[in-house]
């Protein structure tokens, strides 16, 4: 059974940092591209970032480029998202997910085979 379990969310002030983690099990993690997708209240899912199976390629949404860093540890079956210079508009539930297409930058949930339960990130003073 595929499981993706996110952690590391919380409440942070604008300008602060958080590191999200996603523990994967039930599939060969190191052979899959992995993504972070977020969903704010009342809005649809928004693709944030994607990393190749080996970790050598990454891509980011323009809204987070230069502030967020995606990386992975295939030996630990874990995906990460380092979020710096956080803004109130980054407030959302953040999900790790497995994209159906290689290095996908698409928003719809139908573009992903699996996702976790999500972790809440709230940026507020």
């Amino acid at each position: 059974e595929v499981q993706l379990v996110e952690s590391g969310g919380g409440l942070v002030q604008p300008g602060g940092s958080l590191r999200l983690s996603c523990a994967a099990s039930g599939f060969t993690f190191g052979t899959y591209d992995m993504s972070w997708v977020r969903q704010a209240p009342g809005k649809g899912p928004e693709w944030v970032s994607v990393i190749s199976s080996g970790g050598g390629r990454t891509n980011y949404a323009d809204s987070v480029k230069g502030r967020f860093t995606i990386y992975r540890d295939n030996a630990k079956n874990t995906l990460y998202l380092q979020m710096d210079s956080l803004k109130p508009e980054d407030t959302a539930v953040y999900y790790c997910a497995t994209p159906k297409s290689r290095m996908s930058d698409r928003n719809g949930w139908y573009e992903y085979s699996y996702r976790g339960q999500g972790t809440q990130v709230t940026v507020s003073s």
Side-chain angles (χ1 to χ4, degrees):
E1 178 189 3
V2 172
Q3 283 197 319
L4 297 169
V5 180
E6 301 93 338
S7 61
L11 173 63
V12 63
Q13 292 187 340
S17 297
L18 283 174
R19 188 183 77 161
L20 305 184
S21 299
C22 171
S25 61
F27 65 107
T28 310
F29 179 74
T31 65
Y32 282 76
D33 294 353
M34 293 295 298
S35 300
W36 287 99
V37 180
R38 66 187 181 185
Q39 189 162 16
K43 296 188 176 181
E46 177 191 13
W47 169 75
V48 172
S49 184
V50 63
I51 187 168
S52 61
S53 57
R57 288 186 298 153
T58 59
N59 197 13
Y60 299 90
D62 287 344
S63 58
V64 307
K65 200 170 292 184
R67 300 188 297 120
F68 290 11
T69 303
I70 188 172
Y71 61 103
R72 64 194 296 165
D73 185 337
N74 285 347
K76 295 183 178 180
N77 286 355
T78 304
L79 175 71
Y80 301 96
L81 185 68
Q82 177 66 41
M83 305 187 296
D84 299 316
S85 302
L86 282 160
K87 303 176 181 180
E89 51 263 44
D90 295 318
T91 295
V93 178
Y94 283 71
Y95 300 86
C96 63
T98 56
K100 292 180 179 177
S101 302
R102 297 302 304 270
M103 296 298 287
S104 174
D105 60 357
R106 300 173 183 172
N107 289 331
W109 285 125
Y110 53 85
E111 301 287 349
Y112 300 89
S113 300
Y114 302 100
R115 71 176 190 257
Q117 84 290 346
T119 186
Q120 176 71 48
V121 172
T122 302
V123 184
S124 175
S125 55

